[in-house]
Coordinates of all heavy atoms in Angstrom, one line a residue:
D1 N 46.5 97.7 83.0 CA 48.0 97.8 82.9 C 48.6 99.0 83.5 O 49.6 99.0 84.1 CB 48.4 97.6 81.5 CG 48.5 96.1 81.0 OD1 48.4 95.2 81.9 OD2 48.8 95.9 79.9
F2 N 47.9 100.2 83.3 CA 48.5 101.4 83.8 C 48.6 101.5 85.3 O 49.4 102.2 85.8 CB 47.7 102.6 83.2 CG 46.4 102.9 83.9 CD1 46.4 103.8 85.0 CD2 45.2 102.4 83.4 CE1 45.2 104.0 85.7 CE2 44.0 102.7 84.0 CZ 44.0 103.5 85.2
I3 N 47.7 100.7 86.0 CA 47.8 100.6 87.4 C 49.1 99.9 87.8 O 49.9 100.4 88.7 CB 46.6 99.9 88.0 CG1 45.3 100.7 87.8 CG2 46.9 99.6 89.5 CD1 44.1 100.0 88.4
W4 N 49.4 98.8 87.2 CA 50.5 97.9 87.6 C 51.8 98.4 87.0 O 52.9 98.1 87.5 CB 50.2 96.5 87.2 CG 49.0 96.0 88.0 CD1 47.7 96.0 87.6 CD2 49.0 95.6 89.3 NE1 46.9 95.5 88.6 CE2 47.7 95.3 89.7 CE3 50.0 95.4 90.3 CZ2 47.3 94.8 90.9 CZ3 49.6 95.0 91.6 CH2 48.3 94.7 91.9
D5 N 51.8 99.3 86.0 CA 53.0 100.0 85.6 C 53.6 100.8 86.7 O 54.8 101.0 86.8 CB 52.6 100.9 84.4 CG 52.9 100.2 83.0 OD1 53.8 99.3 83.0 OD2 52.2 100.5 82.0
L6 N 52.7 101.4 87.5 CA 53.1 102.2 88.6 C 53.6 101.3 89.8 O 54.4 101.8 90.6 CB 52.0 103.1 89.1 CG 51.4 104.1 88.1 CD1 50.2 104.8 88.7 CD2 52.4 105.1 87.7
K7 N 53.2 100.1 89.9 CA 53.5 99.2 91.0 C 54.8 98.4 90.7 O 55.5 98.1 91.7 CB 52.4 98.3 91.4 CG 51.0 99.0 91.5 CD 51.0 100.1 92.6 CE 49.7 100.8 92.6 NZ 49.7 101.9 93.6
L8 N 55.0 98.1 89.5 CA 56.2 97.3 89.1 C 57.4 98.1 89.3 O 57.4 99.3 89.1 CB 56.1 96.8 87.7 CG 55.1 95.7 87.4 CD1 54.8 95.6 85.9 CD2 55.7 94.3 87.9
P9 N 58.6 97.5 89.7 CA 59.8 98.2 89.8 C 60.3 98.7 88.4 O 59.9 98.1 87.4 CB 60.8 97.2 90.4 CG 60.2 95.9 90.0 CD 58.7 96.1 90.1
S10 N 61.0 99.8 88.4 CA 61.4 100.4 87.2 C 62.2 99.5 86.3 O 62.2 99.7 85.1 CB 62.2 101.7 87.5 OG 63.4 101.4 88.2
N11 N 62.9 98.5 86.9 CA 63.7 97.6 86.1 C 63.0 96.2 85.9 O 63.7 95.2 85.7 CB 65.0 97.4 86.8 CG 64.9 96.6 88.1 OD1 63.8 96.6 88.8 ND2 65.9 95.9 88.5
Y12 N 61.7 96.2 85.9 CA 61.0 94.9 85.9 C 61.3 94.1 84.6 O 61.4 92.9 84.6 CB 59.5 95.1 86.0 CG 58.7 95.4 84.8 CD1 58.2 94.5 84.0 CD2 58.5 96.8 84.5 CE1 57.5 94.8 82.8 CE2 57.8 97.1 83.3 CZ 57.3 96.1 82.5 OH 56.6 96.5 81.4
K13 N 61.6 94.8 83.5 CA 62.0 94.1 82.3 C 63.3 93.4 82.4 O 63.5 92.3 81.9 CB 62.0 95.1 81.1 CG 60.6 95.7 80.7 CD 60.7 96.6 79.5 CE 59.4 97.1 79.1 NZ 59.4 98.1 78.0
F14 N 64.2 94.0 83.1 CA 65.5 93.4 83.4 C 65.3 92.2 84.2 O 65.9 91.1 84.0 CB 66.5 94.4 84.1 CG 67.7 93.7 84.7 CD1 68.8 93.5 83.9 CD2 67.7 93.3 86.0 CE1 70.0 93.0 84.4 CE2 68.9 92.8 86.6 CZ 70.0 92.6 85.8
L15 N 64.4 92.3 85.2 CA 64.1 91.1 86.1 C 63.5 90.0 85.4 O 63.9 88.8 85.5 CB 63.2 91.6 87.3 CG 63.7 92.7 88.2 CD1 62.7 93.0 89.3 CD2 65.1 92.3 88.8
V16 N 62.5 90.3 84.5 CA 61.9 89.3 83.7 C 62.9 88.6 82.8 O 62.9 87.3 82.7 CB 60.7 89.9 82.9 CG1 60.2 88.9 81.8 CG2 59.6 90.3 83.8
H17 N 63.8 89.3 82.2 CA 64.8 88.8 81.3 C 65.8 87.9 82.1 O 66.2 86.8 81.6 CB 65.6 89.9 80.6 CG 66.7 89.4 79.8 ND1 66.5 88.8 78.5 CD2 68.1 89.4 80.0 CE1 67.7 88.4 78.0 NE2 68.6 88.8 78.9
K18 N 66.0 88.3 83.3 CA 67.0 87.5 84.2 C 66.4 86.3 84.7 O 67.1 85.2 84.8 CB 67.4 88.4 85.3 CG 68.4 87.8 86.3 CD 69.8 87.8 85.7 CE 70.8 87.3 86.8 NZ 72.2 87.1 86.2
L19 N 65.1 86.3 85.0 CA 64.5 85.2 85.8 C 63.6 84.2 85.0 O 63.5 83.1 85.4 CB 63.7 85.8 87.0 CG 64.4 86.7 87.9 CD1 63.4 87.3 88.9 CD2 65.5 86.0 88.7
F20 N 63.1 84.7 83.9 CA 62.0 83.9 83.2 C 62.3 83.8 81.7 O 63.1 84.5 81.2 CB 60.6 84.6 83.4 CG 60.2 84.8 84.8 CD1 60.1 86.1 85.3 CD2 59.9 83.7 85.7 CE1 59.7 86.3 86.6 CE2 59.5 83.9 87.0 CZ 59.4 85.2 87.5
D21 N 61.6 82.9 81.1 CA 61.5 82.8 79.7 C 60.5 83.9 79.2 O 59.3 83.8 79.4 CB 61.0 81.4 79.3 CG 60.8 81.3 77.8 OD1 61.2 82.2 77.1 OD2 60.3 80.3 77.3
E22 N 61.1 84.9 78.6 CA 60.2 86.1 78.2 C 59.1 85.7 77.3 O 58.0 86.3 77.3 CB 61.1 87.2 77.6 CG 62.0 87.8 78.6 CD 62.8 89.0 77.9 OE1 62.3 90.1 77.8 OE2 64.0 88.7 77.5
C23 N 59.3 84.7 76.5 CA 58.2 84.3 75.6 C 57.0 83.8 76.4 O 55.9 84.0 76.0 CB 58.7 83.1 74.7 SG 60.0 83.7 73.5
G24 N 57.3 83.1 77.5 CA 56.2 82.6 78.3 C 55.4 83.7 79.0 O 54.3 83.5 79.5
L25 N 56.0 84.9 79.2 CA 55.4 86.0 79.9 C 54.8 87.0 79.0 O 54.1 88.0 79.4 CB 56.4 86.6 80.9 CG 56.9 85.8 82.0 CD1 57.8 86.6 82.9 CD2 55.7 85.3 82.9
S26 N 55.0 86.9 77.7 CA 54.7 88.0 76.8 C 53.2 88.2 76.7 O 52.7 89.3 76.4 CB 55.2 87.7 75.3 OG 54.7 86.4 74.9
E27 N 52.4 87.2 77.0 CA 50.9 87.3 76.9 C 50.3 87.7 78.3 O 49.1 87.9 78.3 CB 50.3 85.9 76.5 CG 50.8 85.4 75.1 CD 50.6 86.4 74.0 OE1 49.5 87.0 74.0 OE2 51.4 86.6 73.1
L28 N 51.1 87.8 79.3 CA 50.6 88.1 80.6 C 50.3 89.6 80.8 O 51.0 90.4 80.2 CB 51.5 87.6 81.7 CG 51.8 86.1 81.8 CD1 52.7 85.9 83.0 CD2 50.5 85.4 82.1
S29 N 49.3 89.9 81.6 CA 49.0 91.3 81.9 C 50.1 91.8 82.9 O 50.8 91.0 83.5 CB 47.7 91.5 82.5 OG 47.6 90.8 83.8
K30 N 50.2 93.1 83.1 CA 51.2 93.7 84.1 C 50.9 93.2 85.5 O 51.8 93.0 86.3 CB 51.2 95.2 84.0 CG 51.6 95.8 82.6 CD 53.1 95.5 82.4 CE 53.5 96.1 81.0 NZ 53.3 97.5 80.9
K31 N 49.6 93.0 85.8 CA 49.2 92.5 87.1 C 49.7 91.1 87.3 O 50.2 90.8 88.4 CB 47.7 92.5 87.2 CG 47.1 91.9 88.5 CD 45.6 91.9 88.6 CE 45.1 91.4 89.9 NZ 43.6 91.3 89.9
D32 N 49.6 90.2 86.3 CA 50.1 88.9 86.4 C 51.7 88.8 86.5 O 52.2 88.0 87.2 CB 49.7 88.0 85.2 CG 48.2 87.8 85.2 OD1 47.6 87.8 86.3 OD2 47.6 87.6 84.1
V33 N 52.3 89.8 85.8 CA 53.8 89.8 85.9 C 54.2 90.2 87.3 O 55.1 89.7 87.9 CB 54.4 90.9 84.9 CG1 55.8 91.1 85.1 CG2 54.1 90.4 83.5
Y34 N 53.4 91.2 87.9 CA 53.7 91.6 89.3 C 53.5 90.4 90.2 O 54.4 90.1 91.1 CB 52.7 92.7 89.7 CG 53.0 93.3 91.0 CD1 53.8 94.5 91.1 CD2 52.5 92.8 92.2 CE1 54.1 95.0 92.4 CE2 52.8 93.3 93.4 CZ 53.6 94.5 93.5 OH 53.8 95.0 94.8
A35 N 52.4 89.6 90.0 CA 52.2 88.4 90.9 C 53.3 87.4 90.7 O 53.7 86.8 91.7 CB 50.8 87.8 90.5
R36 N 53.8 87.2 89.5 CA 54.9 86.2 89.3 C 56.1 86.7 90.0 O 56.9 85.9 90.6 CB 55.1 86.1 87.8 CG 54.1 85.3 87.0 CD 54.2 83.8 87.3 NE 55.4 83.2 87.0 CZ 55.7 82.7 85.8 NH1 54.8 82.7 84.8 NH2 56.9 82.2 85.5
L37 N 56.4 88.0 90.0 CA 57.7 88.5 90.6 C 57.6 88.5 92.1 O 58.6 88.5 92.8 CB 58.0 89.9 90.1 CG 58.5 90.0 88.6 CD1 58.6 91.4 88.2 CD2 59.8 89.3 88.5
C38 N 56.4 88.5 92.6 CA 56.2 88.4 94.1 C 56.5 87.0 94.7 O 56.8 86.9 95.9 CB 54.8 88.9 94.5 SG 54.5 90.6 94.4

């Protein structure tokens, strides 16, 4: 996770809240969140 914390945009939590059902992403790793946002 610490690798992808550096790669995700600083506002990724805002993006996740805006675009997705946060409950569905809560179990994903930061790498998977990055892949979903790409």
